[in-house]
Amino acid sequence: MTEPPQPPNQPPNPSGYGHLPGPPQPGYGFPPPVENPYAQQPQPQGPYGGQPQGPYGQQPPGGYGFPPQPPHMPPGAPGMPPVPPGGPKKKLTVLIAAAVAGVLVLGTGGYFVFFAGKDKGSDKVIGQDTTPPPVDDKASPSASVDKGDGSGNGGDENEDLNDGRKQGEDKVLWFKSSKIDGPGSGVDSKGQWIVGDTVVKSLWKSVTAYGVKDGKEKWTLTLPAVICGVTDMTADGKTVVMYENGESSSADCNQMRLIDLKTGKEGWSKEVPKEGLFDIMTSPDLALTGDALVVNRMGTSSAFKVSTGDKLFNNKREEGCTPTDFVAMNGKMISVATCQDPDKTVQVMDADPATGKNTWIHKLPKGFQVKNVYSLDPIVLDLGNEAKERSIVVLGPDGKQRATVSGEGSFPVGCGGLFNRSLQSCGSSYVDANTLYLPTKADVGKPNEIVAFDLGTGKVKWRTPAGEGRTLTPLKAAGGQVVVYREAERDKGGEVLTIPAAGGTPTAVLRNPSGSAAPVESSFLSPKVDYVDGRLFVSASHLQAQNKSEKFLMVFGK
């Protein structure tokens, strides 16, 4: 297939790229840390005088000669080197041996740059489960996870996590721990889905559903090998998981299976065919919209029907610009292509979810690449180049630039990592109607902010500070408000807040308990967090799997 003709006279607005327009008007800077009017002020209680201990504490990671860290840990997280401070008018490059997601200062010429690497640990399992099932096995019950009894104490732990709860605080509904003897690199828990009256979690080779009210296990499936990719949930409560085609360290991540999250029943199983000699099946990035599922890997993409698993299209082009990634969400799809010209020009195109064909092309300036896609309706792209220039642009339905986002602050961008190259579902940004919500970078001991940008004008609408050295993370945006998680500290429980889309004082809709629960809640590193129907779900994204009890899933409510 030849490259479609380019629409004439579509030069991008120069002001939309490179260093963003100069500093905003006074008042857009970081406010000083203030007392938070809606925050609880509990005093430290319970048996945790120092760092969390016992079965809930973070176990030290193992091996490989790198500093201890779970994957995708944000800058400044506990156990990592603190990120050097820098104001919006400073220009500074920071180089560290083991780093995390890139952070830039939006709205000025200052920047921080980090690069991250990721080692693939051996898939050889030590201890239990040493005999791999055949690849074509149907799912079977898993015996490798201690899922507890649903009583809220993690099964064999006896501590009451609601001990020390203060007046006005809500409670821990239930808690699950996990005990796995796995590979030295640990095991991932890539998926968390809330559907109906169940919360479903993936862990290593299994997918398990728990009742949202009591934590009792409803069903579990074990895949033939390690789960290496998951999708979001479809409108009818299904997901596609990918797993490896064997147990060896050279196994490919190329097996797909449809799972009904409401019942635990399996659908079709397919293998992703290689699209050439250099199609590397290591860490695919999955995206779905409607009945289309895209499997992106390094330089190659394929699309399949969610309902049947049949192939729809791939990214091959006979000449011109070849798409390297497809981004899909909310019924829409775009592709990001790299051209074979001397400048390696990058262009963004719309894509038909059924065929991959495009009707418009938006070319980026020389040297710029797409770092993140925040939304497809409207299209909001985070762009950057090797000169550390950054721009967030808004495109109309015809692919023409509509606005450029401008505001002062340091905002994380992208997933980071050599293999973790997803352009969507990275970080914690949300778009609702005509507003983009971004959290500023969270430094240890310093408060961050939620910043709302008007996508019509590109200007800041409002800022909400976390206060008291706390961290705010957006969870979702809908219905004229943004829902935010105010992360826990060792002596303070987390909170779920709502902020009107127009700005205003946050309202606390859930206050997690202090006392015994706070040290557990605050020690989750890079957790998966969801707030659905008045319940907050906080779960691990990675376990050390050293045959010791580790916190896995914690649920809060009224």
Side-chain angles (χ1 to χ4, degrees), residues 61-69 97-98 119 184-185:
Y64 295 106
F66 287 92
Q69 68 178 68
D119 276 25
S185 57

Side-chain angles (χ1 to χ4, degrees), residues 192-539:
Q192 175 169 288
W193 307 268
I194 293 90
V195 52
D197 61 353
T198 60
V199 52
V200 185
K201 282 286 296 178
S202 71
L203 177 62
W204 197 18
K205 304 175 185 179
S206 65
V207 182
T208 304
Y210 308 95
V212 296
K213 293 181 180 179
D214 54 18
K216 292 183 178 179
E217 183 181 318
K218 293 199 167 188
W219 55 260
T220 188
L221 298 173
T222 297
L223 280 298
V226 175
I227 296 171
C228 47
V230 300
T231 71
D232 292 332
M233 186 171 60
T234 64
D236 59 350
K238 295 180 175 65
T239 189
V240 176
V241 302
M242 290 194 69
Y243 56 95
E244 296 181 350
N245 63 352
E247 296 287 337
S248 72
S249 59
S250 61
D252 288 330
C253 179
N254 63 358
Q255 304 296 310
M256 299 186 295
R257 185 167 294 184
L258 182 72
I259 298 176
D260 188 328
L261 295 169
K262 293 179 291 186
T263 64
K265 294 182 178 179
E266 303 167 85
W268 52 261
S269 295
K270 300 273 184 169
E271 179 174 314
V272 178
K274 284 198 172 186
E275 304 292 353
L277 292 176
F278 302 102
D279 189 356
I280 302 174
M281 299 286 204
T282 51
S283 300
D285 170 54
L286 310 183
L288 60 79
T289 184
D291 197 30
L293 161 69
V294 177
V295 180
N296 295 308
R297 51 262 192 213
M298 297 185 70
T300 306
S301 300
S302 306
F304 305 86
K305 293 188 73 172
V306 176
S307 55
T308 64
D310 295 337
K311 186 175 178 180
L312 292 172
F313 61 87
N314 58 36
N315 67 329
K316 289 184 178 179
R317 297 289 188 272
E318 294 179 4
E319 60 183 39
C321 307
T322 301
T324 54
D325 288 280
F326 285 82
V327 176
M329 62 181 83
N330 300 328
K332 299 182 182 298
M333 184 181 291
I334 64 171
S335 66
V336 179
T338 301
C339 302
Q340 301 306 311
D341 59 352
D343 293 334
K344 298 295 182 183
T345 302
V346 175
Q347 61 185 29
V348 177
M349 302 176 284
D350 66 325
D352 185 312
T355 65
K357 294 181 178 180
N358 66 287
T359 61
W360 54 257
I361 296 175
H362 181 90
K363 289 188 176 181
L364 305 190
K366 179 180 177 179
F368 275 82
Q369 296 180 333
V370 177
K371 300 296 185 180
N372 212 339
V373 178
Y374 296 126
S375 169
L376 293 184
D377 187 20
I379 299 172
V380 185
L381 310 175
D382 200 327
L383 312 176
N385 65 8
E386 291 184 357
K388 317 307 187 286
E389 297 169 319
R390 181 180 180 185
S391 180
I392 296 178
V393 298
V394 184
L395 305 184
D398 56 359
K400 294 181 179 179
Q401 185 172 321
R402 196 179 81 184
T404 304
V405 171
S406 175
E408 188 175 326
S410 182
F411 300 86
V413 60
C415 290
L418 178 62
F419 298 109
N420 191 358
R421 34 169 296 283
S422 176
L423 295 180
Q424 65 184 94
S425 302
C426 294
S428 51
S429 60
Y430 289 89
V431 172
D432 179 24
N434 201 37
T435 305
L436 167 66
Y437 304 96
L438 288 178
T440 60
K441 180 171 64 70
D443 281 327
V444 175
K446 295 183 179 179
N448 78 330
E449 298 176 303
I450 301 296
V451 184
F453 297 92
D454 187 315
L455 295 178
T457 65
K459 296 181 179 180
V460 172
K461 294 173 64 174
W462 49 261
R463 293 174 177 267
T464 296
E468 302 174 338
R470 304 288 288 274
T471 298
L472 292 176
T473 302
L475 298 181
K476 57 184 176 181
Q481 63 183 12
V482 57
V483 179
V484 176
Y485 175 47
R486 191 169 186 242
E487 296 180 13
E489 293 186 318
R490 190 169 58 87
D491 58 349
K492 297 182 179 70
E495 294 176 298
V496 177
L497 314 171
T498 60
I499 308 172
T505 303
T507 300
V509 295
L510 193 68
R511 300 178 188 272
N512 297 346
S514 50
S516 299
V520 182
E521 181 187 2
S522 63
S523 62
F524 278 91
L525 298 180
S526 300
K528 296 181 180 296
V529 183
D530 286 295
Y531 180 71
V532 179
D533 294 333
R535 299 182 184 92
L536 180 71
F537 302 83
V538 180
S539 68

